[in-house]
Amino acid sequence: MHLICPVREPTDSGLTKIDPRAGITSIEDLEDGKLRQLLEHSDILEIPGNFGWTTSSVSRRALRYSKKYGKVSVLGISSNRAKTSIMNAARSSILAQVKARLRALDIRLTQIFLARNCSGVRVVGKGLVSLVEGHATSLLVETASWVSKKNFEIERPREHEPPRVSLISRLEPMKGVDIGVRAAAKMLRGGEKIELRIAGDGPDRHRLEALVGDLEISESVHFLGWLSYPNDYFSLMRDTDVVALTNLNDEQPRLIFDAISRGAIPICPNTNAYSGIGLAPELLYKQGDVDSLHDALQKAISMSADAKQDLRDSLASMADSYTIEEMHLRRDEWYKSLLKRT
């Protein structure tokens, strides 16, 4: 394994260390000879498919050399960045919206070009299949999960009072955090006592803080900022009763399984990315709908302690098929199938 990526000095002691067996080359210092050498001695090249034409210049060059040396090439797409660009600019000026649409077009055309020229494409979640449908020679639909079965801690010694609901996300319009804030406000106005925690940061933070003030729920809402992974991040999961996923886009975040592995109940949009992994219908709500999310949160919170533990047990059983080990096994089998074709 050799990574070609941006290299920065660490600013957080809580970061996870990379396996020392993996080589690392800074993308800024990548010489053509080094790139050729790496590809000549590799079996598989994997490149990202979330960027535009200019940003993908190194990926395109690497793909060209991989073809020269007869290597397998894989395009990985983890999110719908084109759609994200448009959604995040929706409240901006007309000029910003036009620029966002041009950026989205750039990303989409680059994705299609790379998908057509790679040996295979892997996407994270069924919601992204349409991005490369008809363009990929071989397609792997993955389920994002970074949790290992040996790390599951689903037992809860007690239920919190008031119940704790968490929104964990980069704070930008596409993430739909305001939907979660409004649903929580509706619960609080209805007499339900909850504590809302918002973890993450981003350009939407000031707008969200103002929204919390306008809704007069500041006493029940806490902005936590960025959390280090894995320590502080999983500590929040263990200290949370319900995690609400409010993403307005098509990808499937690993947050679902992070929550399940620590006994937090995930409430998710009813899109292919979530319904396709076997979540119970009562854990799904209409994407982007405040009332629907409110109802799903209320049902989850009002369950008895025994019913909640039964739900945690069933979720953990479902998640057995979606551990990081299972994800890598499926990817390994797919890689081998691609190698057999060369």
Side-chain angles (χ1 to χ4, degrees), residues 58-77:
V58 173
S59 294
R60 289 187 284 111
R61 188 156 42 105
L63 181 57
R64 191 165 64 248
Y65 291 148
S66 74
K67 286 179 176 289
K68 178 180 178 180
Y69 297 126
K71 306 296 183 177
V72 167
S73 54
V74 171
L75 181 69
I77 302 177

Side-chain angles (χ1 to χ4, degrees), residues 186-332:
K186 184 175 179 180
M187 293 182 73
L188 289 163
R189 286 197 300 268
E192 189 84 55
K193 292 184 178 180
I194 63 167
E195 181 182 335
L196 179 64
R197 298 174 173 192
I198 301 174
D201 214 333
D204 230 17
R205 177 161 180 168
H206 294 307
R207 187 178 71 86
L208 291 168
E209 288 175 334
L211 176 62
V212 167
D214 291 343
L215 294 172
E216 299 180 347
I217 57 172
S218 298
E219 289 186 2
S220 301
V221 180
H222 307 281
F223 286 86
L224 306 180
W226 290 118
L227 300 179
S228 65
Y229 184 93
N231 298 334
D232 292 343
Y233 175 82
F234 280 114
S235 291
L236 175 63
M237 292 290 186
R238 290 289 296 155
D239 207 29
T240 291
D241 297 297
V242 177
V243 172
L245 288 84
T246 55
N247 194 319
L248 299 173
N249 211 330
D250 306 317
E251 52 262 12
Q252 177 259 305
R254 57 183 171 79
L255 176 57
I256 302 167
F257 299 105
D258 292 340
I260 291 171
S261 74
R262 296 305 189 270
I265 297 171
I267 301 297
C268 307
N270 60 346
T271 61
N272 285 340
Y274 303 92
S275 59
I277 61 176
L279 287 174
E282 61 266 27
L283 299 179
L284 301 175
Y285 70 95
K286 185 178 179 182
Q287 188 178 46
D289 189 295
V290 172
D291 293 337
S292 182
L293 175 55
H294 163 269
D295 294 346
L297 286 171
Q298 196 165 49
K299 286 178 185 177
I301 287 170
S302 63
M303 293 170 65
S304 68
D306 288 342
K308 286 178 182 176
Q309 191 55 53
D310 287 344
L311 178 57
R312 292 186 189 106
D313 291 338
S314 66
L315 285 169
S317 178
M318 178 271 288
D320 272 349
S321 301
Y322 298 112
T323 60
I324 192 168
E325 293 88 357
E326 288 294 325
M327 180 180 73
H328 285 151
L329 280 173
R330 293 187 182 110
R331 190 183 298 181
D332 183 54

